[in-house]
Amino acid sequence: MRIGLLTDGGYPYATGESRLWCDRLVRGLPQHEFDLFALSRSADQEQQGWVRLPDRVGRVRTAPMWTHEEDPRHTGRPRGLTGRIATGLGRSYGRRDRRRFTAHMTALVGAVCAGPEAGPGSGGTDAGTAAGLFTEGLYGLAELARERGGLHHALRSETAVRIVEAACRAPGTGRTVHSATVPDYLAFVAELERTLRPLSLDWYDEDTLGAVDLCHAASGGAAALPGLLAKRFFGVPLLVTEHGVPLRAHYLAAPEAPLGAPVRALLANFHGLLASEVYRQAALITPGNTHVRRWQERFGADRSKLRTVYPGMEAERFGAVGEGDDHGGPGALVWIGRIEPAKDLIALLHAFAEVRRAEPDARLRIFGAPVQGGEGGTYLAHCRALAAQLFPDEATDAHAVGDNPVTFEEIGGPEVPDLAEAYAAGGVVVLSSVVEGFPISLVEAMFCGRATVSTDVGAVVEVVGGTGLVVPPRNPRALADACVALLRDPERRARLGAAARARALELFTVEQNLTAFRGIYLDLVGHAPARWATPPDPQDPAGPPRPFATPPEAHVLGALSSDRIPVALPAGVAAGASRVPSWALGEEGVCAGARGAGDGDA
């Protein structure tokens, strides 16, 4: 079958999120064809280029989400709707279309402004009413964009700003939204246009998204918007996979962010309503862990549609590390990851000070590089300064050179050439984060047969199970006690390491991930209603059935012309119309693969 893989800031870009997972999925399911529909997030991401794509990838369609179509530096006054609205493709709206835009925009923005700012479960406008207004406005704008060639200028117009202003000032809006000012209206309109940019793409016809058998969104939000429209316009089933919780980021936006509090509240409401609609329309939702699943359920995901599928990781690269290989000594603690405030290395250093009092020979090896940007470098410098303060260079005697028990290292040098060697550099792997999604470093440590000490955040407990010690976050004393307990008990370390390796090989390999999605693809397409080609004859509105875009014969070696494939056409279908192989037709010209979709046959 043909899969439409939808990404936002990810595959096929070399620096994209979920890049490795998408690449393994495409390469691991050779029986399917993949069309990629990718949204890019920055000019730098596009300059980095794509990863090498396998042959089974058909078409690749991309669209930027990071700049205005005509002028990326456009910050002037929005264009008015007085007279005519100029669209992204040079067309214009008449009076009737202006009324349609105003009605749909009013419904969508009204739902966003009146929606509960704290998410479902809090006081505010009735959730069902807000959801109904939101979907009415969203799909109305999508149909208008499809008919008229885009909404770029309309969504940034003066009329759009006035609609937002009226909705924010309407009775019943939250205090934060009601306090919005003109700069907030302009900022929200700009963000809304950027988020709704997929509505204006030329992906919605029978030759692009209408030609796929299944849309698979690699994340929610903007990536799933093309999938929503493909289902609405062509009946293509939608599968949504989320390994993280992007919606959570909108609710936890930092107060020092460039956007004001009213704008952040409006965007949080918008993304909450969008997530609820995506979950409602999806045929199946595959969260990457239970932590993500709880967020999805909170925003209306039906439990019967949820199926947890852990992201697969390559175990072979860690197979050479034995459960007893402690290259750095059994008294060494290892931390691996990106150096940033969310990892809370400050608490780890204070905890290690307690460990040193109990175990004077213990060492802490920190492997990683700071995240891009000034914040990462500043945080690393702060951690180095704290380590130097807590642990002055120590010497065994008056003639020896002092040595610090804490080292900051990067993977790739002569002592630690690869990631597996880093995990083998100590007997215990530590995770000290205060915020975490799916802890990849813990899974890698488990593949290496390492005992772990982790903070209870994100999906840590779900990943570790009973094969490691878990302590509360921001608690250096508890973190130190757990580390000391494992450093003093080598037999317990060995037992936990062996159990961790077995658990990781059972749950977190690439093979289990591919097996799950192989079955999911077949199940979704097998239960989806039969889709029909464009009717070739007005007297035959049904047209020939098209259960799959690509028949199995297409994968047979050697050239196959359409003249060599036996075809049985239903009565009334012209010879030049879309053909269906005879093996796909049952009694009275009904597609055998589609028969039973409505009558309960197996």
Side-chain angles (χ1 to χ4, degrees), residues 254-288:
E256 63 272 12
L259 299 176
V263 180
R264 296 199 305 272
L266 289 169
L267 290 175
N269 289 344
F270 171 83
H271 287 285
L273 290 167
L274 178 60
S276 298
E277 176 63 11
V278 169
Y279 298 153
R280 188 172 72 88
Q281 295 294 341
L284 189 69
I285 308 165
T286 55

Side-chain angles (χ1 to χ4, degrees), residues 83 131 135 204 213 229 243 273 298 307 460 509 528 563 601:
T135 55
Y204 313 110
D213 301 303
L229 302 189
H243 293 138
L273 290 167
R298 183 187 178 194
R307 177 179 172 184
V460 166
T509 61
D563 296 335
D601 291 346

Side-chain angles (χ1 to χ4, degrees), residues 39 54 74 164 189 207 211 273 307 455 602:
L39 305 174
H74 175 75
V164 172
V189 164
D207 295 326
L273 290 167
R307 177 179 172 184
T455 49

